[in-house]
Amino acid sequence: MLLIDRSNEFRIFAQGIGYPINTNNWELIVLNFCLDFVDCFNVMSGENSLDHNQIHKCMTLIRQIARGKSNMTEMTHIENTAYLIAEDFKSIYKRME
């Protein structure tokens, strides 16, 4: 359901982080990346406690998103796309429970 509704966002995000879309299960990898990124945002915004390994993971994800971007607008667009994908997944998952 999510892949049908948000297929363009999945493609935009995969291209934004430089992940090829011609591999097997690329959508699952993109979804996991987005969920990890939203978790990192929650950690960095102070909603959850800070863990040393999580900080390094978050910085790695942010670096992956920022790679190849020429300005903050491009980076923010990709981050917002990740947020939308993750939040849509969470809402669909809650409805299925």
Side-chain angles (χ1 to χ4, degrees):
M1 188 171 173
L2 179 66
L3 295 176
I4 294 169
D5 292 343
R6 295 284 183 190
S7 63
N8 288 337
E9 284 84 355
F10 273 84
R11 290 183 195 283
I12 289 169
F13 189 79
Q15 291 171 350
I17 63 171
Y19 193 80
I21 59 173
N22 60 355
T23 59
N24 292 334
N25 297 325
W26 68 270
E27 296 98 343
L28 182 61
I29 293 167
V30 167
L31 177 60
N32 285 330
F33 190 103
C34 293
L35 291 170
D36 286 344
F37 179 74
V38 170
D39 287 341
C40 285
F41 176 77
N42 293 336
V43 167
M44 297 303 240
S45 66
E47 291 182 20
N48 298 329
S49 62
L50 294 174
D51 177 55
H52 183 71
N53 291 331
Q54 282 182 320
I55 292 170
H56 285 288
K57 180 180 177 181
C58 293
M59 295 309 291
T60 302
L61 293 174
I62 291 171
R63 184 172 182 224
Q64 182 72 29
I65 289 173
R67 183 174 291 148
K69 308 299 180 291
S70 60
N71 56 47
M72 286 297 293
T73 305
E74 292 177 14
M75 189 171 160
T76 303
H77 176 68
I78 296 297
E79 291 174 344
N80 287 338
T81 303
Y83 180 79
L84 288 174
I85 291 171
E87 291 303 310
D88 282 351
F89 173 77
K90 289 176 185 178
S91 67
I92 290 170
Y93 189 78
K94 283 181 183 177
R95 280 188 271 162
M96 292 179 68
E97 286 185 332

